[in-house]
Amino acid sequence: RVFESVAVSSVASADTRADESSSSNAFGVGYDPNNPFLRIMSGHAKAHMLLETEHAVAFLDTNPMTRGHCLLIPKAHVATVLDLDAAGAAAVLRELPRLARALAAATGCVGMHVMQNNGALAMQTVFHLHFHLIPRYGGETLSKLSAERRPLDASDAEDLAAKVR
């Protein structure tokens, strides 16, 4: 019963919280109206787009852990998964398998992480909900991959994005 009441309350208030940068969720996280993903969605920042639907956008990460590392984000202005209602979650996550299959086919990876961080203590750095898809090619640890992140290779990015699309 507690779960049901929390879920209903969360769904009912998600739309209200989404546009209030001063409010915060149970993790103390509020939506950042100056986050870089809004600039990408508005066309004010360049990104190598992989897909766009009515409710979701995917693009290559600008500092990838591996070749093909990309982000799937909702168009809704929500900071964390706590702030997304059930319909919004369904609309965004229905794109995840399609994106993962296209990414695997385009990169030839042998595995893939799908990661999502909520709050600063969980290593969230951009306070707009996003899902990382990180192709894996070998046995490096995530710690090593994270420490060795480099800016996106512009010469490869558009070719890779076209293959994923």
Side-chain angles (χ1 to χ4, degrees):
R1 281 286 196 208
V2 172
F3 179 76
E4 288 176 15
S5 65
V6 170
V8 170
S9 171
S10 175
V11 169
S13 62
D15 290 335
T16 305
R17 281 196 313 263
D19 293 320
E20 296 176 9
S21 60
S22 62
S23 66
S24 63
N25 59 31
F27 298 141
V29 175
Y31 185 73
D32 175 9
N34 298 310
N35 77 74
F37 300 162
L38 281 180
R39 290 194 300 275
I40 290 170
M41 287 191 294
S42 69
H44 291 101
K46 183 175 176 5
H48 296 280
M49 302 299 284
L50 305 178
L51 73 78
E52 182 169 13
T53 69
E54 181 181 355
H55 301 285
V57 176
F59 47 88
L60 293 174
D61 192 297
T62 59
N63 284 305
M65 292 177 74
T66 64
R67 183 174 184 265
H69 178 172
C70 65
L71 304 172
L72 174 64
I73 70 169
K75 287 185 175 178
H77 297 185
V78 294
T80 73
V81 73
L82 300 182
D83 308 310
L84 190 62
D85 64 26
V92 173
L93 292 177
R94 83 170 44 104
E95 304 305 329
L96 185 58
R98 178 170 65 116
L99 179 59
R101 284 189 296 268
L103 188 59
T107 64
C109 63
V110 296
M112 185 181 303
H113 290 282
V114 176
M115 299 173 61
Q116 197 278 314
N117 306 322
N118 293 282
L121 289 176
M123 300 185 328
Q124 183 179 10
T125 58
V126 176
F127 296 98
H128 182 113
L129 176 63
H130 56 286
F131 299 84
H132 294 263
L133 286 79
I134 306 169
R136 295 302 303 264
Y137 304 97
E140 304 88 358
T141 66
L142 278 178
S143 295
K144 181 178 180 188
L145 292 174
S146 182
E148 296 178 354
R149 291 177 92 153
R150 300 285 182 265
L152 183 64
D153 178 354
S155 63
D156 179 52
E158 194 49 46
D159 182 53
L160 179 57
K163 288 178 183 174
V164 173
R165 286 192 296 265

